[in-house]
Amino acid sequence: MVNSLQEHPFSYKQKYHIDKKLAIAASFLGLLACSCSQQTATNVSAKSDTTSNTVSTKTTDKNNVIRLGYQKGGIIPLARQRGELERQLIAQNIKVEWIGPFDRCATLLSSLNGNRADIGGCGDIPSISGIAAGQPLCIGSVQRPRPNSLGNAILVRGNSPIQKPADLVGKKVAVNQGGAGEYLLLKVLEKENIPKEKVQRVYLSPNDAAPALYQGSVDAWAVWEPYISIAELEHKARRITTTHPAPTYGILIVRSDAAKENPVAVKVALTALSEDGEWLNQNTSAASDFLVKELKLSDAVAKQVTKNRGPESYVFPNGEDVANLQKTADWLLEQKIIPQKVDIAASVCPLGTTASR
């Protein structure tokens, strides 16, 4: 379940009242995945910084610590709620620190870059953009694309005359720069043979894009869950796209030095996240309950989000995954979304693991 990596010269001056539910529901790039074991750990609240609050299990041995950065929503905060990942890691003498919540992938990646977190969940587009920008990141595990997922969409107001992508010509569409929203819009335009120059991209964060759409400052919004379900069920927005023309990967992105210096702990954490994700796939009601608690969503919204996202399964990337991600990276370079070529094979974390199909 993907976001802007830099400021853009577009200045969005009008202030909006932001729906409380939207203010607490940050970008949703991956849902579900953690682990199982025994024993309960106690989390100690740590001092917060400008982008996050830190909850940690303190330790003096950095090689026995894994810092998991998270946005609101996604696999890592769900793992924190359920508690099995932490129990399993503690049983292996690995302490866990929870770093977050972050408002979007860009700030999460900045935390990894600044050595304040070791692992975080993002989409492939912002992850590749971060690597291209020279951030010291590597790809830990991936969630393969789900062609039938309804987790991304271009939305319009319920009373909008826009009915299909072709109607976007000459219109303003809110997207997050260098992230999943911009990628979705460009891929939809490409599929429909609409020159991208004929649609104006307005770079906004999700919390700014939502009121901009509802109040008419933009005509459409390219976004992901849980924003889609909130917009549809609570603000009468509607989608003009169904499935994604180029489904994306979810990525558990890792700070490069953590993967090199502490590969065992990183691998254990990634494996635990994957195992708990499989458990949650078999317990969708529990997944919805976690969303209600984490994002303060209504039951109806949480259930639709879970349904739209579909099953979640994180695995270590194999050769086919690397090739697919390389195609995405090359396309991003062609579109001038990233500044330089990214070698995906060289960007996979050196954890001594080859994934199975």
Side-chain angles (χ1 to χ4, degrees):
M1 104 200 74
V2 276
N3 305 288
S4 172
L5 292 169
Q6 57 186 338
E7 294 300 323
H8 189 271
F10 177 89
S11 177
Y12 189 71
K13 295 181 179 179
Q14 185 176 4
K15 294 183 180 179
Y16 295 97
H17 172 69
I18 298 175
D19 187 292
K20 292 182 179 179
K21 290 188 174 70
L22 286 167
I24 60 173
S27 149
F28 191 77
L29 288 173
L31 169 66
L32 315 173
C34 26
S35 142
C36 301
S37 181
Q38 340 235 335
Q39 216 176 354
T40 303
T42 301
N43 291 330
V44 181
S45 295
K47 186 177 181 180
S48 63
D49 60 21
T50 58
T51 59
S52 67
N53 297 317
T54 302
V55 179
S56 65
T57 301
K58 295 184 178 180
T59 182
T60 57
D61 185 354
K62 67 177 183 179
N63 290 327
N64 287 336
V65 178
I66 281 294
R67 299 170 298 175
L68 300 177
Y70 64 96
Q71 301 174 64
K72 284 207 168 187
I75 58 174
I76 293 176
L78 293 178
R80 178 184 171 195
Q81 279 195 52
R82 186 167 180 246
E84 294 302 322
L85 176 145
E86 192 162 8
R87 295 185 191 102
Q88 180 167 324
L89 268 61
I90 286 176
Q92 300 188 51
N93 197 33
I94 299 170
K95 305 291 185 181
V96 178
E97 293 183 358
W98 305 97
I99 313 296
F102 295 92
D103 60 344
R104 62 191 190 277
C105 265
T107 50
L108 174 56
L109 294 179
S110 293
S111 184
L112 291 166
N113 186 38
N115 192 19
R116 297 188 297 276
D118 300 313
I119 299 173
C122 281
D124 56 0
I125 308 304
S127 296
I128 291 170
S129 296
I131 293 169
Q135 295 181 346
L137 306 169
C138 63
I139 297 168
S141 59
V142 299
Q143 177 175 274
R144 291 171 179 146
R146 302 173 305 283
N148 296 323
S149 171
L150 298 175
N152 296 271
I154 297 178
L155 301 174
V156 298
R157 292 181 297 282
N159 62 356
S160 171
I162 297 172
Q163 300 295 326
K164 57 187 183 299
D167 296 334
L168 295 173
V169 172
K171 305 299 185 183
K172 297 178 181 180
V173 182
V175 299
N176 59 319
Q177 185 180 14
E182 185 171 25
Y183 181 71
L184 171 61
L185 174 62
L186 291 175
K187 279 297 185 180
V188 167
L189 297 179
E190 183 178 78
K191 179 184 178 183
E192 300 292 330
N193 296 314
I194 302 170
K196 62 183 180 182
E197 296 79 13
K198 292 191 175 183
V199 177
Q200 182 178 346
R201 279 169 275 169
V202 179
Y203 293 113
L204 296 173
S205 69
N207 285 336
D208 290 329
L213 175 68
Y214 305 150
Q215 299 185 26
S217 296
V218 297
D219 302 293
W221 180 22
V223 72
W224 53 91
E225 288 290 11
Y227 296 106
I228 295 169
S229 292
I230 293 171
E232 287 182 321
L233 297 181
E234 299 184 358
H235 297 274
K236 302 187 186 307
R238 57 181 170 81
R239 60 169 72 218
I240 62 168
T241 61
T242 52
T243 55
H244 200 306
T248 58
Y249 278 79
I251 291 182
L252 288 176
I253 196 80
V254 181
R255 186 173 60 87
S256 296
D257 284 348
K260 293 174 184 176
E261 299 167 2
N262 204 6
V264 172
V266 168
K267 186 175 176 181
V268 168
L270 293 174
T271 300
L273 286 166
S274 177
E275 290 173 355
D276 210 23
E278 294 302 325
W279 182 89
L280 287 169
N281 286 340
Q282 304 301 317
N283 295 271
T284 55
S285 293
S288 294
D289 290 343
F290 287 158
L291 282 178
V292 170
K293 181 179 179 181
E294 176 67 25
L295 299 182
K296 307 299 187 294
L297 301 177
S298 69
D299 288 340
V301 169
K303 287 177 181 177
Q304 181 167 302
V305 169
T306 302
K307 181 180 178 181
N308 284 353
R309 290 289 304 173
E312 306 270 348
S313 299
Y314 277 82
V315 296
F316 294 103
N318 64 13
E320 184 175 351
D321 298 320
V322 169
N324 290 338
L325 288 168
Q326 187 65 59
K327 290 178 182 177
T328 298
D330 293 344
W331 186 88
L332 292 172
L333 181 62
E334 291 171 6
Q335 298 294 316
K336 297 181 170 42
I337 294 175
I338 59 175
Q340 62 182 336
K341 184 177 178 63
V342 171
D343 184 344
I344 295 297
S347 301
V348 175
C349 297
L351 301 176
T353 301
T354 301
S356 58
R357 282 296 308 273

